């Protein structure tokens, strides 16, 4: 069964009562079926991506994502998600030129970031920066398809400078000089350049590009759905993106890549240790965590129950980083946790599990991992915002009121 069929089946199994009186009223005769967390509910159609838990596969506009990750630049994947087709040579050239020409950190955005505490969560900083970018955008209130696409493309170019500057500001302990973008570098190379001030090795660039392709889009996940809810009120694109960032921050969603690294840190990263030693310490940690009924971030998924389709590709990228940086103990920690979770609960890792240690090895602060997710997911969010806008229906479900019966105010 596809994700849609699985969801439709679930919905049929739990017949809902679409009685408008249920919303706040107590007069409904039948108690409606409640779909907590909207689990199994199909709320709309989409052409952007297809998640198939049955075959553990993911398609962007019909193309298998591992194939896109193996061969396509991130700029081509962004074009695909927005336009529906891979770019021609000329279209790719135009997309790349556009991306490279809108990369500067606006002074107002830098000022806004500099006004924030240096130890605030960088997701708060990026959320604030997108708010400022929206306020500055002359086309903010123009919701024509052309303007929406142009704003989406601009955000794709603008976000790396925000994230790179925020990483540098944290390391500097306060306001600092941003590193200027370089027009001779592609999206992935340039983000790494603006962050670390040196050209990254090709292996690192490729692992980073792969993570960007894999993080780009995943149907009606919580942050994308948030963006669609906000768009459905006819609010502007930047407001929808700001809301999506808020939803992504939580550890049950994008915040899990940060939480994974916190787990590794709690177990203890010991570069002098062998993979075997690290594996057995990680296994013991997981056995203990599960005995205490803890939820361990980076494992499990609402839709995939037999493994996340993106994990094998991201794990390959992590393996390449482990080899490049000669850090076998990271592999030991990774394997130990995965094995123990598999044995105890048969729950598989999700994309955030290999992505966390990959970003760690590249040199990013742990709190920067979820902002890196934004740099990629901006493509999927904005593709869905445009799709929602093109065939809009206000998203407004019902609730079953379970509070006190009507009573007079004393
Ligand atoms: C890119 C992304 O956003 S991918 C998701 C990233 N999020 C995480 O990694 C957070 C950790 N994982 C989770 O919390 C969950 O697996 C979710 C939220 C992702 C999906 O959850 P749901 O589909 O709602 O399943 P739910 O949370 O009800 O879990 C079902 C069962 O598996 C268990 N379970 C699920 N995930 C985990 C986990 N990571 N650790 C331990 N147990 C887990 C639950 O405790 C529950 O057990 P129970 O039936 O004995 O109570
Ligand atoms: O689909 C989901 O629920 C979460 C997820 O994996 C993603 O957004 O990439």
């Amino acid at each position: 069964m596809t994700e849609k069929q699985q969801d439709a089946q679930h919905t049929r199994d739990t017949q809902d009562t679409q009685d408008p009186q249920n919303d706040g009223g107590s007069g409904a005769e039948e108690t409606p079926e409640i779909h907590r967390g909207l689990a199994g509910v199909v709320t709309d159609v989409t052409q952007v991506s297809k998640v198939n838990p049955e075959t553990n596969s993911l398609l962007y506009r019909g193309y298998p994502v591992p194939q896109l990750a193996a061969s396509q630049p991130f700029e081509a994947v962004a074009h695909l998600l927005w336009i529906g087709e891979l770019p021609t040579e000329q279209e790719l050239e135009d997309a790349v030129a556009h991306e490279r020409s809108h990369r500067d950190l606006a002074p107002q955005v830098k000022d806004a970031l500099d006004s924030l505490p240096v130890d605030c969560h960088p997701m708060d900083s990026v959320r604030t920066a997108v708010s400022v970018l929206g306020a500055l955008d002359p086309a903010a209130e123009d919701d024509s398809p052309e303007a929406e696409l142009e704003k989406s493309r601009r955000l794709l170019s603008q976000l790396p400078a925000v994230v790179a500057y925020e990483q540098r500001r944290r390391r500097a302990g306060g306001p600092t000089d941003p590193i200027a973008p370089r027009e001779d570098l592609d999206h992935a190379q340039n983000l790494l350049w603006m962050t670390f001030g040196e050209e990254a090795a090709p292996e690192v660039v490729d692992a980073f590009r792969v993570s960007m392709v894999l993080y780009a889009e995943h149907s009606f996940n919580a942050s994308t759905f948030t963006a669609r809810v906000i768009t459905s009120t006819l609010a502007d694109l930047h407001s929808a993106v700001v809301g999506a960032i808020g939803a992504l921050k939580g550890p049950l969603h994008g915040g899990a890549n940060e939480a994974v690294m916190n787990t590794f840190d709690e177990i203890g990263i010991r570069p002098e240790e062998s993979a075997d030693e690290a594996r057995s310490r990680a296994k013991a940690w997981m056995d203990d965590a599960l005995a205490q009924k803890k939820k361990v971030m980076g494992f499990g998924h609402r839709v995939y129950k037999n493994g996340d389709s993106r994990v094998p590709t991201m794990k390959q990228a992590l393996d390449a980083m482990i080899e490049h940086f000669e850090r076998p103990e990271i592999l030991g920690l990774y394997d130990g946790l995965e094995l123990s979770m598999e044995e105890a609960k048969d729950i598989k890792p999700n994309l955030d599990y290999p992505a966390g240690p990959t970003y760690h090895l590249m040199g990013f602060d742990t709190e920067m991992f979820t902002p890196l997710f934004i740099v990629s997911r901006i493509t999927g969010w904005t593709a869905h915002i445009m799709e929602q806008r093109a065939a809009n229906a206000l998203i407004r479900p019902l609730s079953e009121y379970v509070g006190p019966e009507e009573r007079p105010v004393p």
Side-chain angles (χ1 to χ4, degrees), residues 365-399:
D365 286 354
T366 300
E367 293 83 356
M368 298 307 301
F369 296 178
T370 318
L372 293 171
F373 193 156
I374 298 176
V375 167
S376 163
R377 187 56 62 88
I378 188 63
T379 55
W381 286 337
T382 48
H384 279 274
I385 289 169
M386 290 187 271
E387 187 176 66
Q388 178 72 34
R389 187 92 71 205
N392 192 46
L394 177 72
I395 299 173
R396 199 298 186 192
L398 302 178
S399 58

Side-chain angles (χ1 to χ4, degrees), residues 212-230:
M212 291 288 106
V213 173
L214 297 178
Y215 264 141
E217 158 60 13
H218 211 243
S219 77
F220 279 25
N221 59 82
S223 57
T224 301
F225 191 64
T226 301
R228 291 190 74 126
V229 170
I230 294 172

Side-chain angles (χ1 to χ4, degrees), residues 28-49:
E29 282 173 16
E30 267 180 53
T31 304
E33 196 71 42
I34 306 293
H35 301 273
R36 296 200 67 230
L38 294 181
V41 175
V42 181
T43 69
D44 209 336
V45 297
T46 183
Q47 296 185 8
V48 184
S49 70

